[in-house]
C-alpha cells in the first residue's frame, strides 16, 4: 500500500509511517527513560529500611542527603520498578469440592425493616460448596443456642449434613485455638458428632477459604432486603426460606448450572439425618418473683400465683418457653427481643376483690363472726374507718381485729366503751387501756387481795 494510504488508514503522518518501515521492526520498542533516582539506588534502599517503609520520609531524607531535586512521583515510580516495598501479587487459586464434602457457614449483620422500624439483626447463612445451594435466616443475636438452631434447620433444609462445616474463628463455636489447631467447645463438638460432621476453622486472615458463603451476603443485601418490609422476625425468616427456594431453582451464570439440579446429584453423598432429631433448647434455672413472673432476658412470663418464690426450670426453644416446677408445665411464646415486655396468660390474671372487701369488708365480717353479741365492737370499727387512718382503713381494722382476737373479751369491751365515749380512735392508746385492764384482773394489788 502507498505510504499516504497507510497513514490515512492508521491516522499517522507519512513521516511516521516511513520511519517504522525503515526500522524493519515488527514490535514496538520499549521506551527506556533514565531517572535521577537511578544513581541513588543504594541510598534509597537504605533509607527505606531506616524510615520503616514511609516513602514520604524517604523522599525528604533523599533530598537532604543527595542534594538532588527529585519529585515524589519519580521516587514512587522508581520503587515500583525496583520492587522496593512492593508486595508481589499472588494468584488467588481455586477450590474444588466433591459432592457432600463441605458446607460453609458464617454470619453477617444486616439492617431489616420490621413494621416500619429499621433494626439490626444477624444473618446466618450456609452454602453447600458443590451445588452452591443457599440457606439463610435472621436472628436478633447469635450465640451457641442460635447457632445450633440454624444448623439444625439448614441440615433439615438440605436433607442431610456434609462431612465438614467450615467456619471462621468465632467464639460461638471455638473453644480454644485458631485455624487447624481449633478445638470446638464441648457443647458444639457433641452437636457435630450427633449429625456426623466436624467443624473446620480457616487460618487467621484467610477469609477467602470460605468464599462460597461470603459472596451471598452482598447478594442478600442488594436483592432480598431491598424494598421489603416484614411484620415480624418469624415473617422475615419465612420469606427468606421462600426466597432461597426461588434462588436455588434459578440458573447461575458463574457456575453455568442450576443449584437444585446440582443438589440432586449431591444429595446421595450427604450424611443422613438422625432418626430422632431432638429440638434445640436452652435450660435456665429461675425463682418465681413476688408478682408471679419468671424473668428471662429482661422479659417476664407469668406463672400461677401458687408458684411464688418456687424454684423452676425454664426450657427455651426457638419459638416458645416451657416453665416447669417438676409437677406442672406452663407454655409461653418466646419473645425475640429483650425489651422488658411482660406476657401474662388469661388463666394467670389476678382476680381483684370487690371494693367493699378491699376497703376492710373482710375484716368487718370476721369481727362480726367473732363477737355476734357485741354490737359495740362493730360500731367502734365503723367509727374507726371514718375517724382513724383514712389512707389505710384496712390496716387499722386489721390491727383492731388483732386486739379482739388476742386479749380477753371483757377487757376489750370495757376499753372500747371508754374510748368510744371519749372519741378516742388511737389504737396504740386503746391497746394500753386493754393491757391496764388485763393487768388488774390477773395481777391484783394488795388492797384488792
Amino acid at each position: 500500500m502507498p505510504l499516504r494510504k497507510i497513514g490515512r488508514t492508521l491516522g499517522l503522518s507519512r513521516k511516521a509511517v516511513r520511519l517504522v518501515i525503515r526500522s524493519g521492526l515488527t514490535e514496538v520498542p520499549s521506551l527506556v527513560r533514565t531517572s535521577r533516582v537511578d544513581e541513588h539506588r543504594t541510598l534509597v534502599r537504605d533509607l527505606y529500611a531506616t524510615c520503616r517503609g514511609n516513602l514520604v520520609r524517604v523522599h525528604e531524607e533523599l533530598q537532604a542527603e543527595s542534594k538532588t531535586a527529585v519529585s515524589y512521583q519519580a521516587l514512587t515510580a522508581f520503587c515500583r520498578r525496583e520492587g522496593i516495598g512492593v508486595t508481589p501479587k499472588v494468584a488467588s487459586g481455586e477450590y474444588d469440592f466433591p459432592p457432600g464434602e463441605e458446607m460453609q457457614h458464617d454470619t453477617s449483620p444486616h439492617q431489616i425493616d420490621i413494621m416500619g422500624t429499621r433494626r439490626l439483626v444477624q444473618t446466618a447463612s450456609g452454602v453447600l460448596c458443590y451445588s452452591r445451594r443457599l440457606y439463610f435466616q435472621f436472628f436478633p443475636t447469635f450465640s451457641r443456642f442460635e447457632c445450633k438452631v440454624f444448623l439444625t434447620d439448614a441440615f433439615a433444609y438440605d436433607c442431610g449434613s456434609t462431612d465438614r462445616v467450615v467456619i471462621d474463628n468465632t467464639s460461638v463455636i471455638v473453644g480454644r485455638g485458631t485455624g487447624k489447631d481449633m478445638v470446638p467447645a464441648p457443647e458444639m463438638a457433641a452437636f457435630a458428632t450427633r449429625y456426623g460432621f466436624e467443624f473446620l476453622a480457616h487460618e487467621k486472615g484467610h477469609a477467602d477459604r470460605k468464599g462460597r458463603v461470603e459472596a451471598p451476603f452482598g447478594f442478600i443485601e442488594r436483592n432480598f432486603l431491598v424494598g421489603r418490609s416484614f411484620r415480624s422476625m418469624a415473617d422475615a425468616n419465612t420469606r427468606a426460606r421462600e426466597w432461597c427456594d426461588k434462588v436455588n431453582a434459578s440458573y447461575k451464570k458463574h457456575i453455568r448450572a442450576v443449584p437444585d439440579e446440582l443438589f440432586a446429584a449431591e444429595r446421595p453423598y450427604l450424611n443422613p439425618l438422625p432418626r430422632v432429631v431432638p429440638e434445640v433448647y436452652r435450660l435456665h434455672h429461675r425463682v418465681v418473683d413476688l408478682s408471679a413472673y419468671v424473668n428471662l432476658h429482661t422479659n417476664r412470663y407469668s406463672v400461677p400465683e401458687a408458684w411464688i418464690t418456687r424454684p423452676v426450670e425454664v426450657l427455651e426453644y426457638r419459638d416458645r418457653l416451657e416453665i416447669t416446677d417438676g409437677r406442672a408445665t406452663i407454655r409461653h411464646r418466646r419473645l425475640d427481643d429483650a425489651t422488658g415486655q411482660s406476657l401474662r396468660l388469661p388463666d394467670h390474671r389476678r382476680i381483684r376483690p370487690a371494693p367493699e372487701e378491699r376497703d376492710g369488708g373482710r375484716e368487718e365480717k370476721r369481727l362480726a363472726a367473732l363477737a355476734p353479741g357485741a354490737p359495740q365492737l362493730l360500731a367502734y370499727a365503723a367509727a374507726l374507718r371514718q375517724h382513724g387512718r383514712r389512707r389505710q382503713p384496712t390496716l387499722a381494722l386489721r390491727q383492731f381485729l388483732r386486739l379482739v382476737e388476742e386479749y380477753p373479751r371483757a377487757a376489750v369491751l370495757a376499753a372500747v366503751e371508754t374510748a368510744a365515749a371519749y372519741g378516742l380512735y388511737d389504737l396504740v392508746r386503746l391497746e394500753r387501756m386493754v393491757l391496764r385492764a388485763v393487768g388488774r384482773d390477773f395481777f391484783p394489788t394488795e388492797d384488792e387481795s
Side-chain angles (χ1 to χ4, degrees):
M1 297 176 60
L3 297 180
R4 186 186 300 274
K5 189 173 183 180
I6 294 175
R8 290 178 179 177
T9 303
L10 300 179
L12 300 174
S13 65
R14 283 179 291 171
K15 183 178 180 181
V17 174
R18 187 180 295 110
L19 291 176
V20 172
I21 294 176
R22 288 178 180 177
S23 66
L25 300 177
T26 58
E27 297 181 358
V28 179
S30 58
L31 182 63
V32 180
R33 294 179 179 177
T34 60
S35 173
R36 296 180 181 179
V37 192
D38 292 341
E39 57 188 23
H40 304 292
R41 180 178 286 101
T42 303
L43 179 60
V44 170
R45 291 184 180 275
D46 295 340
L47 290 176
Y48 185 85
T50 304
C51 298
R52 301 178 182 178
N54 191 327
L55 290 181
V56 175
R57 291 288 298 121
V58 172
H59 181 245
E60 295 174 355
E61 294 296 328
L62 178 64
Q63 288 184 324
E65 294 188 17
S66 65
K67 306 298 182 180
T68 304
V70 178
S71 66
Y72 180 74
Q73 291 78 4
L75 174 63
T76 56
F78 172 79
C79 291
R80 286 194 298 272
R81 290 196 305 271
E82 298 294 327
I84 300 175
V86 178
T87 303
K89 296 181 180 180
V90 180
S92 59
E94 295 180 356
Y95 294 99
D96 294 325
F97 301 98
E101 181 182 22
E102 180 174 307
M103 182 180 81
Q104 296 179 2
H105 162 61
D106 199 6
T107 60
S108 178
H110 284 127
Q111 293 277 349
I112 67 174
D113 189 320
I114 296 182
M115 298 295 291
T117 302
R118 300 289 295 178
R119 58 165 301 174
L120 181 67
V121 298
Q122 294 293 327
T123 305
S125 176
V127 177
L128 296 179
C129 294
Y130 175 77
S131 61
R132 310 294 182 93
R133 186 175 167 89
L134 171 66
Y135 180 77
F136 70 93
Q137 293 281 273
F138 300 110
F139 296 92
T141 58
F142 201 77
S143 63
R144 289 177 182 172
F145 170 70
E146 285 81 10
C147 181
K148 290 190 289 186
V149 168
F150 170 75
L151 291 178
T152 300
D153 293 346
F155 295 149
Y157 182 77
D158 295 330
C159 303
S161 62
T162 56
D163 294 336
R164 65 172 177 261
V165 175
V166 174
I167 58 171
D168 55 11
N169 296 278
T170 171
S171 60
V172 173
I173 299 175
V174 175
R176 58 181 174 86
T178 58
K180 63 180 180 180
D181 299 327
M182 185 274 298
V183 177
E187 177 183 354
M188 303 308 295
F191 177 82
T193 303
R194 178 185 301 162
Y195 283 91
F197 72 93
E198 62 178 5
F199 286 107
L200 175 65
H202 64 70
E203 295 299 328
K204 189 175 181 180
H206 193 194
D208 291 342
R209 175 61 181 83
K210 54 181 179 59
R212 292 281 199 277
V213 74
E214 293 285 355
F217 284 125
F219 181 43
I220 294 171
E221 185 174 6
R222 294 189 299 269
N223 189 303
F224 176 73
L225 295 178
V226 175
R228 281 187 171 92
S229 180
F230 310 102
R231 297 188 301 272
S232 62
M233 189 72 69
D235 177 54
N237 287 328
T238 301
R239 296 172 66 180
R241 186 185 182 103
E242 296 173 353
W243 189 76
C244 288
D245 294 338
K246 176 183 176 181
V247 168
N248 292 329
S250 60
Y251 179 81
K252 305 299 178 187
K253 292 189 295 184
H254 60 285
I255 61 175
R256 296 182 177 87
V258 178
D260 279 349
E261 295 178 356
L262 296 178
F263 175 71
E266 184 178 19
R267 183 173 177 177
Y269 296 92
L270 297 177
N271 300 320
L273 296 176
R275 291 187 176 182
V276 178
V277 179
E279 192 173 1
V280 180
Y281 70 90
R282 183 164 45 185
L283 178 63
H284 307 272
H285 295 276
R286 294 291 187 271
V287 176
V288 181
D289 62 16
L290 296 179
S291 300
Y293 280 99
V294 172
N295 294 272
L296 183 66
H297 307 319
T298 74
N299 296 318
R300 307 170 73 215
Y301 302 88
S302 68
V303 295
E305 292 187 0
W307 292 17
I308 291 178
T309 69
R310 186 179 298 178
V312 296
E313 290 184 350
V314 182
L315 277 66
E316 180 185 8
Y317 295 91
R318 177 173 184 174
D319 55 352
R320 72 183 191 280
L321 294 181
E322 292 186 1
I323 307 172
T324 176
D325 66 340
R327 291 167 290 182
T329 301
I330 305 299
R331 290 177 175 81
H332 281 275
R333 65 178 179 88
R334 178 175 176 267
L335 297 173
D336 293 326
D337 302 323
T339 53
Q341 302 181 58
S342 297
L343 282 184
R344 180 181 286 276
L345 297 179
D347 297 341
H348 301 159
R349 296 191 180 277
R350 186 175 304 168
I351 301 176
R352 303 186 65 183
E356 62 274 5
E357 294 183 352
R358 295 202 311 268
D359 200 17
R362 289 180 294 181
E363 285 72 17
E364 291 183 351
K365 291 180 180 179
R366 290 179 58 188
L367 189 61
L370 286 174
Q376 59 270 36
L377 295 180
L378 296 177
Y380 187 82
L384 183 64
R385 183 198 296 274
Q386 297 178 359
H387 301 285
R389 299 180 180 179
R390 295 185 178 182
R391 294 185 179 181
Q392 299 177 343
T394 304
L395 184 62
L397 290 175
R398 289 177 181 175
Q399 187 175 358
F400 180 64
L401 182 61
R402 179 183 62 82
L403 296 179
V404 175
E405 292 177 341
E406 293 182 355
Y407 294 106
R409 188 63 48 80
V412 175
L413 290 175
V416 167
E417 290 177 357
T418 304
Y422 288 97
L424 178 62
Y425 298 102
D426 186 352
L427 294 179
V428 176
R429 296 182 63 184
L430 178 65
E431 187 172 9
R432 291 176 183 172
M433 295 169 60
V434 173
L435 289 174
R436 192 179 300 116
V438 172
R440 286 197 301 267
D441 293 339
F442 288 93
F443 305 99
T445 61
E446 295 181 358
D447 297 339
E448 294 177 346
S449 62

